[in-house]
Amino acid sequence: MPRKLLSIPDRPMAPDTGLDAAKLRADLSVAPSDRTAVLAVLSEALEAATARARERFGRGRLDGLETARLIAAIHDAVVTAIWDHAMEHEVHLSNPTDAERVALVAVGGYGRG
């Protein structure tokens, strides 16, 4: 069981991302050692979800703030999928020492703030 990324807090009032996290993880595990395939799956999921967000904004279904929250939630879902994939397929430490522990630190850039 992969170690979970626990530090992304719930986002109140964020619209549904439309990303199926279980399907994304399954798609990533089809060829876990093929980084080109993994990147293609992630890129396709991100592009499709972002296109849906743009469409919803363009049709007036979301205002600007809701759209920003949605896009940030989409990125959160993709970052979480990357973390889960890396912990399951790239980092093979069942009992890491302090020096071997892995962390993901977000410093901003996609609208979470």
Side-chain angles (χ1 to χ4, degrees):
M1 185 72 157
R3 289 166 283 197
K4 295 295 178 191
L5 182 64
L6 300 175
S7 62
I8 297 178
D10 290 336
R11 179 185 305 287
M13 304 183 314
D16 179 22
T17 64
L19 279 175
D20 181 343
K23 181 182 180 319
L24 182 55
R25 279 193 294 278
D27 290 348
L28 288 172
S29 66
V30 170
S33 61
D34 182 351
R35 291 184 180 180
T36 302
V38 168
L39 181 59
V41 167
L42 291 166
S43 294
E44 181 180 315
L46 182 60
E47 288 172 19
T50 303
R52 284 191 301 273
R54 283 192 194 116
E55 183 271 333
R56 290 171 70 186
F57 176 74
R59 291 181 182 234
R61 294 181 181 163
L62 296 175
D63 65 25
L65 182 58
E66 290 171 318
T67 303
R69 286 181 177 145
L70 175 57
I71 291 171
I74 289 166
H75 283 88
D76 285 351
V78 170
V79 167
T80 301
I82 293 168
W83 174 265
D84 290 345
H85 179 78
M87 292 299 100
E88 186 171 340
H89 299 287
E90 300 292 331
V91 179
H92 304 286
L93 301 170
S94 59
N95 188 19
T97 66
D98 285 344
E100 295 170 323
R101 292 185 185 207
V102 178
L104 171 66
V105 180
V107 294
Y110 63 87
R112 268 199 126 281

